[in-house]
Amino acid sequence: MGAMDFRGRHVLITGASSGLGLEMARELARAHGAHLVLVARRRERLEELQGELERSYGVQVTRIVADMTRAEDVDRVIDEATRGQELYAAILNAGVTFFGHALEIPDSELRALVETNLMSTTRLANAFARYLMERQNGGGIMLVSSVAGISPLPYQAAYAATKAFLNSYGQALAEELRGRGVTISTFAPGGIDTEMAQKSGITSSSSSLKAFLMPADRCARLAIEGFRARKTFFVPGPFYRLTALISRVAPPGLVAWQAGNIYRGSLPKRG
Ligand SMILES: NC(=O)c1ccc[n+]([C@@H]2O[C@H](COP(=O)([O-])OP(=O)(O)OC[C@H]3O[C@@H](n4cnc5c(N)ncnc54)[C@H](OP(=O)(O)O)[C@@H]3O)[C@@H](O)[C@H]2O)c1
Protein backbone atom coordinates (compact mmCIF):
# COMPACT_ATOMS: atom_id res chain seq x y z
CA MET A 1 0.00 0.00 0.00
CA GLY A 2 1.25 3.51 -0.80
CA ALA A 3 1.18 6.46 1.59
CA MET A 4 -2.13 7.33 3.21
CA ASP A 5 -4.04 10.25 1.70
CA PHE A 6 -6.26 12.06 4.20
CA ARG A 7 -7.64 14.71 1.80
CA GLY A 8 -11.44 14.84 1.81
CA ARG A 9 -11.59 11.77 4.07
CA HIS A 10 -12.90 11.40 7.61
CA VAL A 11 -10.38 10.96 10.42
CA LEU A 12 -11.42 10.35 14.04
CA ILE A 13 -9.24 11.66 16.87
CA THR A 14 -9.83 10.85 20.54
CA GLY A 15 -8.48 13.31 23.10
CA ALA A 16 -8.89 16.15 20.59
CA SER A 17 -9.72 18.83 23.18
CA SER A 18 -6.11 19.66 24.11
CA GLY A 19 -2.40 19.02 23.62
CA LEU A 20 -1.27 16.55 20.98
CA GLY A 21 -4.79 15.54 19.87
CA LEU A 22 -5.79 19.15 19.24
CA GLU A 23 -2.60 19.83 17.27
CA MET A 24 -3.01 16.65 15.18
CA ALA A 25 -6.54 17.84 14.30
CA ARG A 26 -5.13 21.22 13.22
CA GLU A 27 -2.36 19.56 11.20
CA LEU A 28 -4.77 17.17 9.45
CA ALA A 29 -7.15 19.99 8.53
CA ARG A 30 -4.49 22.56 7.55
CA ALA A 31 -1.91 20.46 5.71
CA HIS A 32 -4.02 17.51 4.54
CA GLY A 33 -7.58 18.84 4.07
CA ALA A 34 -9.04 16.00 6.18
CA HIS A 35 -12.57 16.02 7.58
CA LEU A 36 -12.53 15.35 11.30
CA VAL A 37 -14.49 13.55 13.99
CA LEU A 38 -13.37 15.00 17.31
CA VAL A 39 -13.84 13.06 20.57
CA ALA A 40 -13.30 14.18 24.20
CA ARG A 41 -15.23 15.05 27.37
CA ARG A 42 -14.89 18.86 27.29
CA ARG A 43 -17.70 19.95 24.98
CA GLU A 44 -16.77 23.67 24.85
CA ARG A 45 -13.19 22.92 23.81
CA LEU A 46 -14.44 20.70 20.97
CA GLU A 47 -16.96 23.35 19.85
CA GLU A 48 -14.22 25.98 19.80
CA LEU A 49 -11.89 23.75 17.76
CA GLN A 50 -14.68 22.76 15.38
CA GLY A 51 -15.40 26.47 14.68
CA GLU A 52 -11.72 27.22 14.14
CA LEU A 53 -11.13 24.32 11.73
CA GLU A 54 -14.31 24.84 9.70
CA ARG A 55 -13.68 28.60 9.37
CA SER A 56 -9.96 28.41 8.62
CA TYR A 57 -9.76 25.34 6.39
CA GLY A 58 -13.29 24.65 5.10
CA VAL A 59 -13.27 21.03 6.30
CA GLN A 60 -16.26 19.18 7.79
CA VAL A 61 -15.99 18.62 11.54
CA THR A 62 -18.24 16.61 13.84
CA ARG A 63 -17.96 16.25 17.60
CA ILE A 64 -18.66 13.33 19.90
CA VAL A 65 -18.65 14.19 23.59
CA ALA A 66 -17.68 10.94 25.31
CA ASP A 67 -15.92 9.67 28.41
CA MET A 68 -13.47 6.88 27.61
CA THR A 69 -13.80 5.44 31.13
CA ARG A 70 -17.39 4.44 30.29
CA ALA A 71 -17.87 1.33 28.12
CA GLU A 72 -21.24 2.62 26.86
CA ASP A 73 -19.60 5.85 25.65
CA VAL A 74 -16.95 3.83 23.80
CA ASP A 75 -19.76 1.84 22.10
CA ARG A 76 -21.48 5.11 21.17
CA VAL A 77 -18.26 6.49 19.63
CA ILE A 78 -17.94 3.37 17.44
CA ASP A 79 -21.57 3.70 16.39
CA GLU A 80 -21.68 7.48 15.76
CA ALA A 81 -18.30 7.66 14.04
CA THR A 82 -19.24 5.05 11.45
CA ARG A 83 -22.82 6.25 10.78
CA GLY A 84 -23.50 8.73 7.95
CA GLN A 85 -19.87 8.98 6.82
CA GLU A 86 -17.10 6.61 5.80
CA LEU A 87 -14.23 6.64 8.27
CA TYR A 88 -10.74 6.42 6.74
CA ALA A 89 -8.56 6.65 9.84
CA ALA A 90 -8.74 6.67 13.64
CA ILE A 91 -6.13 8.21 15.94
CA LEU A 92 -6.55 6.78 19.44
CA ASN A 93 -4.83 9.44 21.48
CA ALA A 94 -6.88 10.04 24.68
CA GLY A 95 -4.75 9.38 27.74
CA VAL A 96 -4.19 10.31 31.38
CA THR A 97 -1.31 9.90 33.82
CA PHE A 98 -0.81 9.71 37.56
CA PHE A 99 2.42 11.23 38.84
CA GLY A 100 3.40 10.19 42.35
CA HIS A 101 4.18 7.13 44.49
CA ALA A 102 2.56 4.01 43.00
CA LEU A 103 1.06 3.11 46.39
CA GLU A 104 -0.75 6.43 46.62
CA ILE A 105 -2.93 6.21 43.51
CA PRO A 106 -6.60 6.15 44.52
CA ASP A 107 -8.50 3.12 43.16
CA SER A 108 -10.80 5.39 41.15
CA GLU A 109 -7.83 7.02 39.40
CA LEU A 110 -6.18 3.67 38.69
CA ARG A 111 -9.41 2.42 37.15
CA ALA A 112 -9.81 5.59 35.04
CA LEU A 113 -6.20 5.34 33.88
CA VAL A 114 -6.56 1.71 32.78
CA GLU A 115 -9.97 2.27 31.17
CA THR A 116 -8.84 5.38 29.25
CA ASN A 117 -5.33 4.42 28.17
CA LEU A 118 -5.76 0.71 27.71
CA MET A 119 -9.33 -0.66 27.57
CA SER A 120 -11.00 2.02 25.45
CA THR A 121 -8.00 2.25 23.10
CA THR A 122 -7.95 -1.51 22.57
CA ARG A 123 -11.71 -1.77 22.05
CA LEU A 124 -11.72 1.14 19.58
CA ALA A 125 -8.69 -0.28 17.73
CA ASN A 126 -10.36 -3.66 17.33
CA ALA A 127 -13.71 -2.22 16.26
CA PHE A 128 -12.23 0.21 13.72
CA ALA A 129 -9.82 -2.43 12.40
CA ARG A 130 -12.80 -4.72 11.62
CA TYR A 131 -14.63 -1.79 10.03
CA LEU A 132 -11.67 -0.74 7.85
CA MET A 133 -10.96 -4.32 6.77
CA GLU A 134 -14.56 -4.58 5.54
CA ARG A 135 -14.30 -1.28 3.65
CA GLN A 136 -10.85 -1.95 2.12
CA ASN A 137 -10.45 1.83 1.64
CA GLY A 138 -6.72 1.80 2.42
CA GLY A 139 -7.13 3.55 5.78
CA GLY A 140 -5.59 2.87 9.14
CA ILE A 141 -5.41 3.29 12.89
CA MET A 142 -2.76 4.98 15.02
CA LEU A 143 -2.37 4.20 18.73
CA VAL A 144 -0.73 7.04 20.64
CA SER A 145 1.54 5.34 23.16
CA SER A 146 4.79 6.62 24.72
CA VAL A 147 8.52 5.94 25.13
CA ALA A 148 7.46 5.53 28.78
CA GLY A 149 6.13 2.14 27.69
CA ILE A 150 9.55 0.84 26.63
CA SER A 151 10.92 0.42 30.17
CA PRO A 152 9.63 0.76 33.77
CA LEU A 153 9.03 4.34 34.90
CA PRO A 154 9.05 5.03 38.67
CA TYR A 155 6.49 7.60 39.84
CA GLN A 156 4.41 7.00 36.70
CA ALA A 157 4.38 3.24 37.19
CA ALA A 158 0.76 2.55 36.20
CA TYR A 159 0.85 5.00 33.28
CA ALA A 160 4.03 3.44 31.86
CA ALA A 161 2.54 -0.05 32.27
CA THR A 162 -0.53 0.92 30.20
CA LYS A 163 1.79 2.29 27.50
CA ALA A 164 3.88 -0.92 27.57
CA PHE A 165 0.62 -2.75 26.82
CA LEU A 166 -0.11 -0.42 23.88
CA ASN A 167 3.42 -0.73 22.45
CA SER A 168 3.12 -4.49 22.52
CA TYR A 169 -0.51 -4.71 21.42
CA GLY A 170 -0.13 -2.23 18.55
CA GLN A 171 2.86 -4.01 17.03
CA ALA A 172 1.29 -7.46 17.46
CA LEU A 173 -1.96 -6.28 15.85
CA ALA A 174 -0.01 -4.71 12.96
CA GLU A 175 1.59 -8.08 12.30
CA GLU A 176 -1.71 -10.00 12.54
CA LEU A 177 -3.37 -7.65 10.07
CA ARG A 178 -0.46 -7.31 7.64
CA GLY A 179 -1.77 -7.62 4.07
CA ARG A 180 -5.43 -7.38 5.19
CA GLY A 181 -5.98 -3.81 3.91
CA VAL A 182 -5.60 -1.83 7.13
CA THR A 183 -2.54 -0.12 8.61
CA ILE A 184 -1.85 -0.22 12.37
CA SER A 185 0.73 2.34 13.58
CA THR A 186 1.99 2.84 17.11
CA PHE A 187 3.37 6.30 17.88
CA ALA A 188 5.60 6.59 20.96
CA PRO A 189 6.57 10.19 21.75
CA GLY A 190 8.74 11.34 24.65
CA GLY A 191 7.92 14.47 26.66
CA ILE A 192 5.54 16.89 24.92
CA ASP A 193 4.68 20.37 26.16
CA THR A 194 1.00 19.77 27.06
CA GLU A 195 -1.34 19.73 30.07
CA MET A 196 -0.23 16.15 30.73
CA ALA A 197 3.44 17.16 30.99
CA GLN A 198 2.44 19.68 33.66
CA LYS A 199 0.79 16.86 35.63
CA SER A 200 3.72 14.45 35.16
CA GLY A 201 6.35 16.52 36.97
CA ILE A 202 8.35 17.21 33.79
CA THR A 203 7.58 20.92 33.83
CA SER A 204 8.49 21.46 37.49
CA SER A 205 11.36 23.90 37.94
CA SER A 206 13.71 21.20 39.27
CA SER A 207 13.15 18.73 36.42
CA SER A 208 16.06 18.30 34.02
CA LEU A 209 13.66 16.96 31.38
CA LYS A 210 11.91 20.31 30.96
CA ALA A 211 14.43 21.41 28.34
CA PHE A 212 13.63 18.33 26.23
CA LEU A 213 9.89 18.83 25.94
CA MET A 214 8.77 18.87 22.31
CA PRO A 215 6.27 21.57 21.28
CA ALA A 216 2.90 19.89 20.68
CA ASP A 217 2.52 21.25 17.12
CA ARG A 218 5.93 19.82 16.07
CA CYS A 219 5.11 16.46 17.67
CA ALA A 220 1.74 16.45 15.85
CA ARG A 221 3.42 17.11 12.50
CA LEU A 222 5.83 14.21 13.03
CA ALA A 223 2.98 11.94 14.21
CA ILE A 224 0.90 12.57 11.09
CA GLU A 225 3.96 12.23 8.83
CA GLY A 226 4.77 8.78 10.29
CA PHE A 227 1.15 7.63 10.21
CA ARG A 228 0.84 8.79 6.59
CA ALA A 229 3.97 6.77 5.73
CA ARG A 230 2.37 3.72 7.44
CA LYS A 231 5.19 3.28 9.98
CA THR A 232 4.49 0.38 12.34
CA PHE A 233 6.26 1.81 15.41
CA PHE A 234 7.94 5.19 15.61
CA VAL A 235 9.41 7.71 18.05
CA PRO A 236 9.67 11.42 17.11
CA GLY A 237 12.90 13.47 17.39
CA PRO A 238 16.54 12.41 17.79
CA PHE A 239 16.68 12.86 21.60
CA TYR A 240 13.76 10.54 22.29
CA ARG A 241 14.82 8.07 19.57
CA LEU A 242 18.14 7.77 21.44
CA THR A 243 16.26 7.45 24.75
CA ALA A 244 14.15 4.66 23.23
CA LEU A 245 17.23 2.87 21.95
CA ILE A 246 18.99 3.06 25.33
CA SER A 247 15.81 1.91 27.09
CA ARG A 248 15.70 -1.14 24.83
CA VAL A 249 19.30 -2.24 25.23
CA ALA A 250 20.11 -1.26 28.84
CA PRO A 251 19.07 -3.51 31.78
CA PRO A 252 15.51 -2.46 32.82
CA GLY A 253 16.62 -2.08 36.46
CA LEU A 254 19.27 0.44 35.47
CA VAL A 255 16.86 2.44 33.32
CA ALA A 256 14.29 2.46 36.17
CA TRP A 257 16.96 3.61 38.67
CA GLN A 258 18.04 6.48 36.42
CA ALA A 259 14.46 7.53 35.64
CA GLY A 260 13.62 7.36 39.35
CA ASN A 261 16.48 9.75 40.12
CA ILE A 262 15.26 12.20 37.51
CA TYR A 263 11.61 12.20 38.59
CA ARG A 264 12.09 11.97 42.39
CA GLY A 265 13.05 15.64 42.63
CA SER A 266 9.82 16.70 40.95
CA LEU A 267 7.44 14.77 43.23
CA PRO A 268 4.62 16.85 44.71
CA LYS A 269 5.42 17.84 48.31
CA ARG A 270 3.22 16.07 50.85
CA GLY A 271 1.10 18.41 52.93
N1 LIG B 1 2.61 14.99 27.21
C1 LIG B 1 3.56 14.07 27.18
O1 LIG B 1 4.68 14.29 27.67
C2 LIG B 1 3.29 12.75 26.49
C3 LIG B 1 4.38 11.91 26.23
C4 LIG B 1 4.18 10.69 25.60
C5 LIG B 1 2.89 10.31 25.21
N2 LIG B 1 1.85 11.14 25.47
C6 LIG B 1 0.49 10.68 25.09
O2 LIG B 1 -0.10 11.61 24.21
C7 LIG B 1 -1.54 11.51 24.33
C8 LIG B 1 -2.11 12.91 24.46
O3 LIG B 1 -1.67 13.48 25.67
P1 LIG B 1 -1.35 15.05 25.83
O4 LIG B 1 0.05 15.16 26.25
O5 LIG B 1 -1.83 15.79 24.64
O6 LIG B 1 -2.23 15.37 27.11
P2 LIG B 1 -3.47 16.34 27.37
O7 LIG B 1 -3.22 17.70 26.83
O8 LIG B 1 -3.77 16.18 28.82
O9 LIG B 1 -4.63 15.68 26.49
C9 LIG B 1 -5.26 14.48 26.87
C10 LIG B 1 -6.52 14.33 26.03
O10 LIG B 1 -7.16 13.10 26.42
C11 LIG B 1 -8.52 13.37 26.69
N3 LIG B 1 -9.04 12.49 27.75
C12 LIG B 1 -8.51 12.25 28.97
N4 LIG B 1 -9.32 11.45 29.68
C13 LIG B 1 -10.38 11.18 28.88
C14 LIG B 1 -11.56 10.43 29.07
N5 LIG B 1 -11.83 9.77 30.20
N6 LIG B 1 -12.46 10.38 28.05
C15 LIG B 1 -12.22 11.05 26.89
N7 LIG B 1 -11.12 11.77 26.67
C16 LIG B 1 -10.22 11.84 27.67
C17 LIG B 1 -8.57 14.83 27.15
O11 LIG B 1 -9.85 15.38 26.86
P3 LIG B 1 -10.98 15.77 27.95
O12 LIG B 1 -10.29 16.08 29.24
O13 LIG B 1 -11.68 16.93 27.33
O14 LIG B 1 -11.83 14.55 28.00
C18 LIG B 1 -7.52 15.46 26.26
O15 LIG B 1 -8.08 15.85 25.03
C19 LIG B 1 -1.79 10.62 25.55
O16 LIG B 1 -2.14 9.32 25.15
C20 LIG B 1 -0.45 10.60 26.26
O17 LIG B 1 -0.26 9.44 27.02
C21 LIG B 1 2.02 12.34 26.10
Side-chain angles (χ1 to χ4, degrees):
M1 281 197 274
M4 293 176 83
D5 181 2
F6 301 110
R7 191 158 301 276
R9 286 165 156 158
H10 288 84
V11 181
L12 172 136
I13 306 180
T14 67
S17 61
S18 69
L20 180 62
L22 182 148
E23 293 298 342
M24 288 192 290
R26 281 188 177 139
E27 173 70 10
L28 278 163
R30 186 189 56 78
H32 299 274
H35 302 313
L36 293 157
V37 182
L38 309 175
V39 184
R41 290 168 302 183
R42 285 173 287 181
R43 178 186 302 277
E44 313 70 46
R45 293 266 196 120
L46 294 184
E47 280 171 3
E48 218 174 283
L49 182 61
Q50 175 180 27
E52 176 197 319
L53 299 180
E54 287 177 342
R55 258 193 326 275
S56 309
Y57 310 112
V59 296
Q60 299 164 17
V61 181
T62 49
R63 294 172 270 116
I64 306 177
V65 175
D67 182 344
M68 294 296 102
T69 66
R70 295 161 56 96
E72 59 273 31
D73 280 22
V74 176
D75 290 338
R76 185 164 52 81
V77 168
I78 295 164
D79 185 48
E80 286 184 20
T82 53
R83 213 175 337 117
Q85 70 219 340
E86 176 161 326
L87 209 61
Y88 176 69
I91 300 181
L92 308 177
N93 160 81
V96 286
T97 191
F98 173 83
F99 179 59
H101 289 285
L103 303 188
E104 291 176 0
I105 187 168
D107 280 355
S108 59
E109 275 197 53
L110 179 59
R111 200 166 294 117
L113 199 145
V114 171
E115 290 290 342
T116 308
N117 297 5
L118 195 160
M119 279 304 296
S120 75
T121 304
T122 307
R123 290 192 58 222
L124 291 172
N126 289 358
F128 290 135
R130 276 186 220 106
Y131 169 90
L132 291 171
M133 274 160 54
E134 267 171 35
R135 296 293 177 294
Q136 290 290 312
N137 63 8
I141 296 165
M142 180 162 71
L143 311 186
V144 176
S145 185
S146 173
V147 287
I150 295 176
S151 50
L153 184 59
Y155 310 112
Q156 285 192 80
Y159 171 76
T162 62
K163 296 299 184 177
F165 178 101
L166 290 187
N167 286 348
S168 176
Y169 192 82
Q171 291 176 89
L173 192 61
E175 187 51 39
E176 285 191 34
L177 301 185
R178 190 175 301 283
R180 311 264 308 264
V182 58
T183 295
I184 310 289
S185 293
T186 304
F187 178 55
I192 318 163
D193 197 358
T194 64
E195 290 173 22
M196 178 180 281
Q198 287 152 23
K199 287 178 202 147
S200 69
I202 299 181
T203 55
S204 86
S205 53
S206 53
S207 172
S208 51
L209 289 177
K210 204 169 143 188
F212 296 101
L213 284 178
M214 187 178 275
D217 56 350
R218 170 150 186 257
C219 190
R221 215 167 39 249
L222 296 171
I224 300 305
E225 210 173 280
F227 186 30
R228 198 176 157 271
R230 302 186 189 274
K231 290 188 179 169
T232 300
F233 182 88
F234 61 112
V235 176
F239 174 74
Y240 284 108
R241 270 203 294 280
L242 181 64
T243 306
L245 180 70
I246 294 169
S247 301
R248 277 203 200 92
V249 297
L254 182 65
V255 179
W257 174 78
Q258 182 57 33
N261 287 337
I262 292 169
Y263 278 94
R264 199 167 293 118
S266 309
L267 279 174
K269 300 281 173 283
R270 284 183 228 197

